[in-house]
Amino acid sequence: AFLAISTLLPALGACVNMTGVDDLDREQDRLDTAWDRFERSAPLAYTYTVHVNCECPRDVTRPVTVWVDRGVTEYLLYEDDGQPVPLSYANSFPSVEQLFDAIQDAIDRGAQVIDVEYDLTYGYPTDVYIDYDRSYADEELAMVTWGFRRWD
């Protein structure tokens, strides 16, 4: 049920928490549990805020409110001023479903570092750090999320 989200990865940068490749089975179990919780409890339409951590342009590192309806991103608005995210940066701000897909991709590809925290109520990822290969710079995925709520 997960798709590879390679469009998210090139633009995203570094963070500090690390868990090694020896934990892939545990990470898969944690992902499956969180995904099941998300599918059972999350509303069809929701908003949440994403903050990307990277050595990127400011328009990528500003917190963004993501508005999603039935898995499709409808709006991306900067949290600080409410302005829309330029289309050129839209792929940097995933829906929760896309974030789950990126984590599954990291597990499937045997990323060297996967460190993810999940919300206890809805199961969505709240803190994500993925490093496919520690010997390469700037191919990491690092972001925090917060403020998940129903969009009515």
Side-chain angles (χ1 to χ4, degrees):
F2 301 108
L3 303 172
I5 303 297
S6 58
T7 57
L8 288 175
L9 302 176
L12 305 176
C15 190
V16 294
N17 298 326
M18 296 192 180
T19 302
V21 71
D22 295 339
D23 299 312
L24 286 177
D25 288 337
R26 183 179 67 86
E27 288 301 326
Q28 184 67 62
D29 289 344
R30 293 181 69 235
L31 175 67
D32 292 343
T33 298
W35 175 251
D36 289 344
R37 181 177 295 127
F38 182 75
E39 281 196 312
R40 281 192 320 271
S41 60
L44 291 176
Y46 63 86
T47 68
Y48 81 124
T49 302
V50 175
H51 180 240
V52 176
N53 297 306
C54 65
E55 297 295 324
C56 303
R58 182 174 180 273
D59 283 345
V60 174
T61 61
R62 291 167 60 193
V64 168
T65 301
V66 180
W67 298 72
V68 179
D69 187 12
R70 292 172 178 80
V72 176
T73 300
E74 297 290 336
Y75 305 104
L76 297 169
L77 303 175
Y78 288 111
E79 188 177 62
D80 57 1
D81 64 7
Q83 292 299 308
V85 171
L87 188 56
S88 59
Y89 297 126
N91 284 337
S92 297
F93 307 102
S95 67
V96 169
E97 294 85 351
Q98 290 171 318
L99 199 46
F100 274 113
D101 290 343
I103 298 163
Q104 183 64 61
D105 179 68
I107 293 168
D108 292 346
R109 291 174 48 196
Q112 289 185 346
V113 179
I114 302 172
D115 189 8
V116 181
E117 297 299 323
Y118 298 95
D119 179 77
L120 296 176
T121 302
Y122 292 110
Y124 72 96
T126 58
D127 194 346
V128 178
Y129 178 73
I130 298 169
D131 190 349
Y132 285 90
D133 187 335
R134 292 181 192 173
S135 64
Y136 290 103
D138 297 331
E139 47 70 57
E140 301 92 354
L141 168 65
M143 61 180 56
V144 294
T145 68
W146 65 88
F148 186 91
R149 63 189 180 277
R150 177 179 304 278
W151 174 27
D152 294 319

